[in-house]
Amino acid sequence: MEHIIKFCPCNLEGQLCEVKDKLRQLSNVTVTDERCLNYCGQCLEKPFALLHKKNVVGDTAEELYRLLVERLAAVEL
């Protein structure tokens, strides 16, 4: 199954580059930047991404990565 993870390019610019790079290394994962994801305001507060159109939010970039990987693993089961 192909997993699509979308990021807003305005969301904590620069802080999510490493997260995106690590996600791109996973198999069956497509990472895209898409303006706008319709979560205006959230971009300035916390790191987030859409995984299969569902909002995933972390307090830090590292937490967001961990949550995304956990959800990817749950989908694979």
Side-chain angles (χ1 to χ4, degrees), residues 4-7 37 39 42 48-57 64 67-68 71 75:
I4 299 172
I5 303 174
K6 295 181 181 181
F7 286 88
L37 299 176
Y39 286 88
Q42 187 173 333
F48 80 98
L50 298 183
L51 172 59
H52 299 297
K53 300 181 182 179
K54 293 185 180 174
N55 192 14
V56 180
V57 183
L64 176 61
L67 291 170
L68 288 167
R71 293 191 186 187
V75 171

Side-chain angles (χ1 to χ4, degrees), residues 6-66:
K6 295 181 181 181
F7 286 88
C8 173
C10 297
N11 181 220
L12 302 174
E13 292 181 70
Q15 295 180 33
L16 296 178
C17 290
E18 185 177 335
V19 171
K20 293 176 193 179
D21 289 342
K22 290 195 305 189
L23 290 168
R24 284 185 181 107
Q25 294 174 15
L26 301 175
S27 63
N28 298 324
V29 174
T30 299
V31 176
T32 63
D33 283 323
E34 190 171 305
R35 213 182 281 262
C36 167
L37 299 176
N38 294 317
Y39 286 88
C40 299
Q42 187 173 333
C43 287
L44 302 173
E45 295 178 12
K46 292 187 177 193
F48 80 98
L50 298 183
L51 172 59
H52 299 297
K53 300 181 182 179
K54 293 185 180 174
N55 192 14
V56 180
V57 183
D59 287 325
T60 65
E62 294 80 19
E63 181 182 25
L64 176 61
Y65 176 77
R66 182 183 54 78

